[in-house]
Amino acid sequence: MLPELRIESEFVASLKRRDAHAFEELVRESCGILLVVAKRFFPNEADAHDAVQEAFLNAYRAIELFDGGSKVSTWLHRILINVCLSKIRSRSRRPEKNIEAMLPQFLRDGH
């Protein structure tokens, strides 16, 4: 087995054991590039950060399903893309409303 593949498989084994240090390393090593990808979907910084955070949570919950058919980084990237697309679909089903329009008239008028 190539050294890189052996290291990757050991890393995946650590993730599957729920090793906190392995997950910390995954976040530290992947966060920057995932944020760049999320910003392509969401120009709003907070929305991009939320998508990345949700992707990491989904990966943590589903790590047992990772079969090693790709790199962990590729798998995590796909999870992020799915999160972003899901958020976009959700927003298109229920568009955001301006909070000002939702306030009672007397509050909008400042009385």
Side-chain angles (χ1 to χ4, degrees):
M1 181 180 280
L2 295 171
E4 184 178 311
L5 294 177
R6 185 178 52 77
I7 291 170
E8 176 88 3
S9 65
E10 290 171 6
F11 183 62
V12 169
S14 295
L15 291 171
K16 287 185 175 189
R17 285 192 308 271
R18 306 286 187 193
D19 181 311
H21 296 294
F23 275 100
E24 181 180 339
E25 182 179 342
L26 179 66
V27 170
R28 200 173 42 251
E29 295 295 321
S30 306
C31 191
I33 190 66
L34 293 180
L35 192 54
V36 168
V37 172
K39 285 181 180 178
R40 290 183 182 158
F41 286 91
F42 306 109
N44 178 303
E45 187 88 13
D47 290 341
H49 281 273
D50 287 347
V52 170
Q53 182 176 351
E54 188 173 333
F56 280 121
L57 288 172
N58 289 350
Y60 180 81
R61 291 179 188 129
I63 190 63
E64 290 300 321
L65 301 175
F66 180 70
D67 63 3
S70 64
K71 287 183 156 186
V72 174
S73 58
T74 304
W75 179 70
L76 191 54
H77 181 269
R78 186 69 243 171
I79 290 172
L80 175 66
I81 298 297
N82 289 341
V83 165
C84 291
L85 294 174
S86 177
K87 285 183 175 296
I88 289 169
R89 281 191 297 271
S90 175
R91 286 182 180 177
S92 69
R93 286 192 296 268
R94 54 176 175 79
E96 295 178 5
K97 296 180 182 176
N98 183 336
I99 194 160
E100 294 294 322
M102 296 168 53
L103 292 174
Q105 182 64 41
F106 67 91
L107 290 176
R108 282 186 271 161
D109 295 339
H111 296 102

